[in-house]
């Protein structure tokens, strides 16, 4: 794989820190609960950048014997045209890296819920065209956003129903 996805790592780390602050700083469920605002924000992002909203994507999560000292291994089982997911299923998500120079990789305090959140975020606020794993998909988006959208929809029609 060899590619680093720096911008996505910082975004994920910031989101996880905000969420942790919400958990420890406020009782959940109140009208000013930040997790509620994040949920609305995510819904808006899906509407605005909803390249993938009509698809169903399957991921294989292999939890190793040494979990939670090492991250689970995750692979996308659905063929997809995405800048951060290779057509062969490899995923660029810092959370899934055992060792990360900037400290945003796996830690024993992370949970499978964090992994699922990170995967979901690859379709919303962590969708990253600037530091891609699938360079062809990112360049396609840069060249022609409408044609990129059409190719994503073709993949969804053929592989993600």
């Amino acid at each position: 794989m060899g590619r680093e996805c720096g911008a996505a790592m910082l975004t994920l780390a910031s989101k996880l820190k905000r969420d942790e602050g919400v958990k420890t700083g406020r009782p959940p469920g109140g009208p000013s609960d930040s997790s509620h605002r994040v949920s609305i924000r995510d819904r808006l992002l899906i509407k605005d950048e909803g390249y993938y909203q009509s698809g169903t994507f399957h991921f294989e999560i292999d939890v190793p014997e040494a979990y939670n000292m090492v991250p689970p291994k995750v692979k996308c089982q659905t063929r997809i045209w995405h800048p951060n997911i290779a057509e062969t299923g490899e995923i660029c998500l810092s959370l899934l890296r055992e060792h990360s120079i900037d400290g945003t990789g796996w830690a024993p305090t992370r949970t499978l819920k964090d992994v699922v959140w990170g995967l979901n975020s690859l379709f919303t606020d962590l969708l990253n065209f600037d530091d891609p794993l699938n360079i062809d998909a990112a360049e396609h988006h840069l060249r022609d956003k409408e044609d990129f959208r059409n190719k994503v929809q073709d993949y969804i029609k053929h592989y993600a129903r």
Side-chain angles (χ1 to χ4, degrees):
M1 197 167 356
R3 296 261 320 137
E4 291 292 320
C5 307
M9 286 189 258
L10 296 176
T11 305
L12 179 58
S14 301
K15 166 77 168 108
L16 290 173
K17 279 183 185 173
R18 275 197 317 268
D19 285 356
E20 188 58 36
V22 168
K23 286 181 202 168
T24 58
R26 283 195 178 134
S32 62
D33 183 14
S34 293
S35 64
H36 179 67
R37 284 193 303 266
V38 170
S39 173
I40 291 169
R41 178 181 161 274
D42 286 347
R43 278 190 237 134
L44 290 172
L45 280 168
I46 288 169
K47 284 183 181 178
D48 293 341
E49 307 214 14
Y51 295 120
Y52 305 95
Q53 67 185 359
S54 62
T56 301
F57 304 95
H58 298 272
F59 294 87
E60 178 181 87
I61 300 176
D62 179 25
V63 180
E65 203 56 45
Y67 176 83
N68 65 342
M69 295 308 289
V70 298
K73 299 209 181 312
V74 182
K75 190 167 184 173
C76 185
Q77 297 296 303
T78 308
R79 195 158 170 213
I80 186 171
W81 190 242
H82 191 291
N84 311 115
I85 302 173
E87 286 188 83
T88 54
E90 289 81 17
I91 298 168
C92 180
L93 183 62
S94 62
L95 183 67
L96 299 174
R97 264 195 232 108
E98 190 169 352
H99 303 287
S100 179
I101 295 170
D102 64 1
T104 60
W106 185 256
T109 56
R110 304 250 197 247
T111 65
L112 290 177
K113 182 179 176 182
D114 295 328
V115 172
V116 171
W117 177 88
L119 293 172
N120 181 64
S121 294
L122 285 176
F123 297 95
T124 57
D125 57 333
L126 290 185
L127 179 62
N128 184 357
F129 294 97
D130 297 326
D131 194 9
L133 175 62
N134 183 339
I135 295 168
D136 292 337
E139 288 176 350
H140 186 194
H141 182 265
L142 182 63
R143 267 191 328 274
D144 187 341
K145 287 178 181 47
E146 190 58 37
D147 192 52
F148 174 84
R149 180 181 297 278
N150 291 338
K151 185 165 184 173
V152 166
Q153 290 306 308
D154 284 345
Y155 270 56
I156 289 172
K157 186 187 325 176
H158 290 96
Y159 309 111
R161 290 281 174 197

